[in-house]
Amino acid sequence: MELNFKKVSHDYYEPLQFAPFSCETMRENIVPDSCGDIARIVDTTGLVCLTSCELTGDGRFCASGSVDASVLYIPEKEDGVRALHFQIPFQCYGEGQGPADCEFLDIRGELHSIDTRVLNPRKVLTRASLTLYPSGCRHATVSVCTEMAEDGGENVQLLREKRESRVVAGVREKEFTFTEELPLSPGRGGAEEILSTRLDIRGTDSKLIGSKLVVKGLISAAILYRENGGRLALLQQDLPFSQILEGNGFDEDCESDAAYHLLSAECRAGSEGAPDDAYVVTMSLLVKARVTVWRGEEVAFIADLYSTAAPVSCQMMELELNEDAQKSTRRQNVRELLETGVPVKSVLDTEIGCGAVQPAGSEVKISAWARCLYLDENDVLGSVRREFTVSCPAEMPGELAGCQGEAACHGDVITNIMPEGIELRFPLDCTLSASNRRRYLCVSGGETDEEEQNKEVMPSLILRKLSPEETLWSVAKQYRTTRKGILEVNELNEESQIPYDRLLLIPRTR
């Protein structure tokens, strides 16, 4: 006879992580007629503006956008430094990685390196290397047996279990414009030319209030410019922002985290009301906020069953749950020496970049790089860049799988001029997120034999000990009795009270 069950369906999204992929893009650019011929390239910086991501029909990830490049150079027969600004478009593919049922696809882009070489005094070739990190979600609907139906069967004993899982409830996205007018010090020369712009956009808070998702963040901007008179200056500011996204369909006890992607950036001298004001720098950004909402999901299921009246055959299914979600951030202080080959007089600008974070036993390895723009003892402008690896202790249990990490420098960078070059001291904040994908067998169906063949005659009372590897359930199932019956006949209240050296009476249910 077929057993009938009550079932509960769980509808949610599973987070997906994929292997990163890389690409290279390049562009030739001609110096404008208004600028002098190039005598020497000093430095190249770039901003990644990733405007589109998709999963192609053949399962490839596709990311497209541009690298906004700024090339600093020394022109012939002119004093001071100049800059070329242009966009390098890219379209990158990650081969054969994405499942067709991937939803909420997101690709984060990082600029690994960028450099420029002179083809002739009027033409340059700029090459940029990017690393792309895809992620997404997969819709899942799981139906599990939780109870016997009213007509499900007689004398059936159920082993019920409950597990807490952390699942994605949904994703919300919003594009927004951020514009800020930044005043320059009136005691210095105004901005004659913007040379380069660096941006770091990060979230500081994300919460669900009623039916709204409220997110807050910080934009760290570093703008290098040439003053009237030729001196170089650096404007650095942390600019807070906040946005409201729709949060319909989520409970207030849900958690959320936000990530931000730069879509476009413009930085210019002057303001909207006074375009010729050299003591104001206007920065306009187009940013996409992506908020992932998480919820706790309690999953109850039947792990095993049997009947005290007849043999039962069960159909089992595998249930995979995301458990033990943990997140920790550790700050690692770093010291690196960038050798310049010439004596350094002063440091004008410093940039720290971080790439992949790889778990390695009890620690993680962070690929990073540092760049310094400096003046040597002869007031000649130079740049130095160095790549290195930082080891950081991991505060996650070693058995947790699916560990993901991100690192960034959000603290002050201290520079010391040394005989060999420039010593940097700075903190790296490494954030690790980990969870354990555990699998459980649960009952999905079953049936009893109405007429038991070759029924074995067993004694009505059995005396035996409970071995360390046995449970009260396994013993009761073996003899087709009940856990409650064993406890009652042995005058016990809980299974935990059973000593392993005690003989137990096992009453057989007839």
Side-chain angles (χ1 to χ4, degrees):
M1 181 182 71
E2 185 177 356
L3 299 176
N4 296 321
F5 299 92
K6 294 180 180 178
K7 295 187 176 183
V8 173
S9 292
H10 298 271
D11 191 80
Y12 55 91
Y13 294 95
E14 296 177 340
L16 301 173
Q17 295 290 339
F18 308 99
F21 61 98
S22 59
C23 76
E24 192 173 85
T25 183
M26 64 185 72
R27 174 178 169 175
E28 292 183 1
N29 205 69
I30 296 184
V31 178
D33 294 338
S34 59
C35 300
D37 290 350
I38 295 176
R40 177 172 64 91
I41 298 293
V42 177
D43 195 15
T44 306
T45 59
L47 293 173
V48 177
C49 298
L50 202 151
T51 55
S52 175
C53 62
E54 63 178 338
L55 189 64
T56 63
D58 56 356
R60 295 189 300 169
F61 296 113
C62 178
S64 58
S66 67
V67 177
D68 289 5
S70 298
V71 180
L72 273 61
Y73 70 97
I74 304 297
E76 293 181 355
K77 301 177 183 180
E78 292 185 26
D79 294 330
V81 64
R82 298 291 185 270
L84 296 175
H85 303 286
F86 50 89
Q87 293 183 331
I88 310 174
F90 66 84
Q91 189 172 45
C92 305
Y93 290 90
E95 298 292 337
Q97 303 180 71
D101 56 353
C102 178
E103 299 184 49
F104 304 125
L105 176 65
D106 182 48
I107 299 181
R108 177 173 58 89
E110 288 182 351
L111 185 63
H112 178 261
S113 64
I114 185 169
D115 62 86
T116 301
R117 64 186 180 93
V118 178
L119 300 179
N120 62 54
R122 306 297 301 175
K123 182 185 290 187
V124 296
L125 174 66
T126 301
R127 188 190 311 266
S129 176
L130 297 93
T131 303
L132 290 309
Y133 299 88
S135 62
C137 297
R138 176 171 53 206
H139 185 255
T141 300
V142 178
S143 181
V144 292
C145 299
T146 58
E147 297 283 349
M148 297 296 300
E150 293 182 0
D151 58 346
E154 297 180 356
N155 303 312
V156 176
Q157 304 297 309
L158 303 178
L159 179 62
R160 301 181 182 89
E161 293 189 7
K162 290 182 179 180
R163 295 290 184 269
E164 284 289 337
S165 180
R166 187 171 186 258
V167 301
V168 175
V171 176
R172 297 289 186 267
E173 293 183 338
K174 178 184 178 181
E175 294 183 9
F176 65 94
T177 300
F178 180 88
T179 301
E180 190 77 14
E181 295 182 355
L182 308 174
L184 303 180
S185 172
R188 299 176 62 101
E192 183 179 357
E193 182 184 2
I194 302 298
L195 299 177
S196 67
T197 303
R198 291 190 287 107
L199 298 170
D200 176 40
I201 308 173
R202 63 185 185 273
T204 56
D205 192 21
S206 176
K207 62 180 62 176
L208 191 66
I209 302 177
S211 62
K212 303 296 182 181
L213 281 166
V214 180
V215 298
K216 297 179 181 180
L218 204 64
I219 298 174
S220 297
I223 302 170
L224 181 71
Y225 63 97
R226 187 181 70 251
E227 295 181 343
N228 295 320
R231 187 169 59 173
L232 299 186
L234 184 69
L235 173 64
Q236 291 181 293
Q237 275 196 274
D238 288 336
L239 307 170
F241 67 88
S242 62
Q243 289 291 311
I244 298 176
L245 293 80
E246 288 299 326
N248 291 322
F250 301 133
D251 296 330
E252 284 201 7
D253 58 350
C254 289
E255 300 176 357
S256 62
D257 56 70
Y260 301 91
H261 299 329
L262 182 65
L263 302 181
S264 67
E266 180 187 7
C267 188
R268 66 185 187 276
S271 63
E272 184 178 354
D276 297 327
D277 187 353
Y279 288 90
V280 175
V281 171
T282 299
M283 184 177 66
S284 297
L285 310 178
L286 180 61
V287 180
K288 182 174 75 172
R290 176 185 171 91
V291 183
T292 303
V293 181
W294 302 81
R295 74 167 185 261
E297 187 89 357
E298 184 182 75
V299 181
F301 58 93
I302 301 173
D304 195 10
L305 62 80
Y306 66 92
S307 172
T308 60
V312 175
S313 58
C314 290
Q315 289 85 51
M316 309 295 290
M317 61 176 280
E318 191 176 74
L319 184 64
E320 187 175 15
L321 301 177
N322 191 41
E323 298 182 352
D324 303 326
Q326 298 186 36
K327 189 173 185 178
S328 71
T329 299
R330 183 182 180 91
R331 172 162 284 194
Q332 183 74 15
N333 293 317
V334 183
R335 174 189 176 275
E336 289 291 333
L337 178 65
L338 277 61
E339 297 181 355
T340 56
V342 295
V344 175
K345 179 181 178 180
S346 62
V347 178
L348 301 176
D349 187 22
T350 303
E351 181 180 10
I352 307 295
C354 294
V357 176
Q358 298 291 338
S362 61
E363 61 181 15
V364 294
K365 302 290 186 180
I366 305 168
S367 60
W369 53 268
R371 180 189 64 86
C372 283
L373 190 68
Y374 64 90
L375 290 174
D376 68 12
E377 59 182 355
N378 297 316
D379 287 331
V380 175
L381 189 63
S383 178
V384 61
R385 187 181 189 275
R386 181 171 181 266
E387 296 184 8
F388 48 90
T389 300
V390 177
S391 297
C392 179
E395 298 182 349
M396 293 289 181
E399 68 272 10
L400 288 181
C403 185
Q404 304 289 329
E406 290 186 10
C409 177
H410 292 149
D412 294 332
V413 180
I414 300 174
T415 60
N416 294 311
I417 296 175
M418 311 290 287
E420 305 90 345
I422 304 169
E423 180 192 63
L424 302 180
R425 295 177 183 268
F426 56 91
L428 282 187
D429 294 326
C430 181
T431 301
L432 293 177
S433 301
S435 61
N436 209 335
R437 300 286 295 178
R438 286 200 175 95
R439 294 179 173 87
Y440 300 95
L441 288 178
C442 60
V443 174
S444 60
E447 58 183 21
T448 60
D449 294 334
E450 295 185 4
E451 295 184 4
E452 183 176 353
Q453 302 294 327
N454 301 320
K455 185 172 182 179
E456 181 182 356
V457 177
M458 298 181 65
S460 60
L461 193 63
I462 298 169
L463 191 65
R464 57 162 291 177
K465 293 181 180 180
L466 194 67
S467 65
E469 65 272 9
E470 286 183 314
T471 63
L472 197 59
W473 168 269
S474 63
V475 172
K477 180 179 180 181
Q478 179 183 354
Y479 296 104
R480 289 196 199 166
T481 186
T482 64
R483 289 180 291 184
K484 181 179 179 182
I486 296 175
L487 291 173
E488 287 180 349
V489 77
N490 288 278
E491 299 181 346
L492 297 170
N493 295 321
E494 301 289 342
E495 183 175 351
S496 60
Q497 297 176 343
I498 302 175
Y500 288 110
D501 58 350
R502 173 177 171 176
L503 287 172
L504 297 176
L505 294 174
I506 312 295
R508 186 167 183 266
T509 301
R510 293 186 178 275

